[in-house]
Amino acid sequence: LEVLGAPIINHEKEWKGVVLVFHDITELKHLEQMRKDFVANVSHELKTPITSIRGFSETLLQGAMEDEALREQFINIILKESERLQSLIHDLLELSKLEKEGFHLNIESVSLKQLIEDIVPIVEQQAKEKDITMNQNIYEGETIRADSARLKQVVMNMLTNAINYTPQQGEVGIELHSNDNYMEIIIKDTGIGIPEEDIPRIFERFYRVDKARSRNSGGTGLGLAIVKHIVEAHEGWIEVESEYQKGTAFHIYLPKKFTKT
Ligand code: ADP
């Protein structure tokens, strides 16, 4: 709480009282704290791969280069960490674009069926490598007004997550349904699930249930924050159902009558 005070004085310079203004700054403080946490998180996330790239390069220059097996191992680590940095910077720029005021969607007529059918083959290879079965249940439905490139990003992100967080031989499914006023995309998996207490936080920037697991699968911890922004920019919303160790289903709702142009 912030309190500002000022005396009330009339024309005769008599003291008549005092005005007190109470400002509830909890929300402001909270936003300020979130901003600080974000900057701290970004710095930490950038530092980790850089420290590793630098360390392994130095070790190579100090003689590890002579050992063929070590050389290959270290260079592979450097490559992996550089790729990590690249995805991190890419996702950070995306997020910053989406959070900018006046962020613009390229609205056109989009067939969600077509959009899903374009994306599935791209992730199918990843699924195959883990022996994961991909199921599709796609209702033709009507076209909606939407930003096709942005929605592709959403579907791609959700399917990649579903594959990443599902063990070998599991199943990943994508469905498209048409409801009264909105289209519904469901992405579900038979994966590791999300503990109930973590569900409300997974859309926060950099929030991960298991940091190591997310890192190993190439995750940046920004994917769902990006997805949420895009869906909400379309006046839609996302719901999550998950059972720990059993699987997860994300439901994305997109209005058929999108009012913005
Ligand atoms: P990441 O790059 O870590 O995958 P996201 O923002 O995409 O970041 O997701 C945030 C966190 O939500 C993940 O780290 C993971 O813990 C959890 N998560 C997302 N999708 C799934 C899923 N399909 N199954 C289980 N956990 C998931």
Side-chain angles (χ1 to χ4, degrees):
L1 201 72
E2 186 184 63
V3 186
L4 299 169
I8 308 170
I9 295 162
N10 69 8
H11 292 304
E12 283 79 45
K13 301 251 161 60
E14 287 164 337
W15 202 80
K16 285 290 180 193
V18 60
V19 193
L20 291 179
V21 180
F22 296 90
H23 265 158
D24 182 0
I25 55 170
T26 338
E27 180 61 19
L28 270 178
K29 273 259 151 65
H30 178 67
L31 284 176
E32 175 62 10
Q33 190 55 45
M34 274 188 33
R35 195 192 59 77
K36 281 187 184 155
D37 290 349
F38 180 62
V39 173
N41 279 333
V42 170
S43 315
H44 175 78
E45 296 290 333
L46 291 174
K47 233 187 225 165
T48 319
I50 288 173
T51 307
S52 155
I53 290 171
R54 180 169 177 173
F56 283 104
S57 313
E58 280 170 358
T59 316
L60 278 171
L61 288 173
Q62 283 157 7
M65 203 111 84
E66 314 300 325
D67 183 323
E68 197 175 328
L70 270 189
R71 185 170 65 211
E72 186 162 340
Q73 191 195 342
F74 288 4
I75 291 175
N76 271 317
I77 296 175
I78 293 173
L79 179 64
K80 208 166 160 232
E81 294 296 302
S82 319
E83 284 166 355
R84 209 184 137 54
L85 266 182
Q86 201 170 26
S87 359
L88 206 59
I89 291 168
H90 174 268
D91 281 0
L92 279 170
L93 287 175
E94 279 300 310
L95 206 55
S96 132
K97 251 193 248 166
L98 292 167
E99 286 180 351
K100 236 189 221 134
E101 254 173 81
F103 150 69
H104 184 71
L105 290 173
N106 275 323
I107 300 296
E108 53 189 327
S109 180
V110 178
S111 151
L112 291 177
K113 177 176 191 273
Q114 187 60 50
L115 187 142
I116 292 170
E117 283 170 357
D118 287 346
I119 299 294
V120 169
I122 304 176
V123 295
E124 241 163 9
Q125 189 52 37
Q126 266 170 283
K128 224 186 221 158
E129 280 162 23
K130 287 179 78 177
D131 207 6
I132 288 174
T133 315
M134 291 211 44
N135 306 309
Q136 289 185 53
N137 179 7
I138 311 292
Y139 173 78
E140 172 86 55
E142 43 276 84
T143 59
I144 61 165
R145 313 264 316 147
D147 184 324
S148 153
R150 289 290 177 197
L151 287 188
K152 276 188 180 165
Q153 211 178 345
V154 167
V155 173
M156 182 82 182
N157 235 311
M158 305 302 287
L159 282 175
T160 313
N161 272 352
I163 295 169
N164 280 344
Y165 298 105
T166 297
Q168 299 261 340
Q169 273 134 32
E171 285 177 34
V172 166
I174 182 157
E175 298 176 14
L176 176 66
H177 304 282
S178 175
N179 298 323
D180 280 349
N181 301 317
Y182 44 84
M183 297 296 286
E184 178 184 8
I185 303 172
I186 307 176
I187 290 115
K188 55 182 174 189
D189 61 60
T190 59
I192 59 171
I194 305 168
E196 206 179 327
E197 65 270 24
D198 291 296
I199 291 182
R201 303 202 58 190
I202 54 170
F203 293 96
E204 286 175 25
R205 304 176 292 192
F206 292 124
Y207 191 83
R208 296 120 151 172
V209 177
D210 178 345
K211 269 200 179 214
R213 190 181 183 117
S214 156
R215 270 217 184 99
N216 285 338
S217 63
T220 60
L222 296 174
L224 286 182
I226 292 175
V227 161
K228 186 165 186 263
H229 265 290
I230 297 175
V231 171
E232 286 178 356
H234 283 88
E235 296 169 350
W237 72 97
I238 307 184
E239 288 171 10
V240 190
E241 286 170 83
S242 189
E243 211 176 325
Y244 190 51
Q245 307 286 10
K246 288 247 165 78
T248 307
F250 285 91
H251 299 247
I252 300 174
Y253 299 93
L254 295 164
K256 289 182 183 171
K257 292 217 164 46
F258 181 45
T259 51
K260 282 186 209 141
T261 47

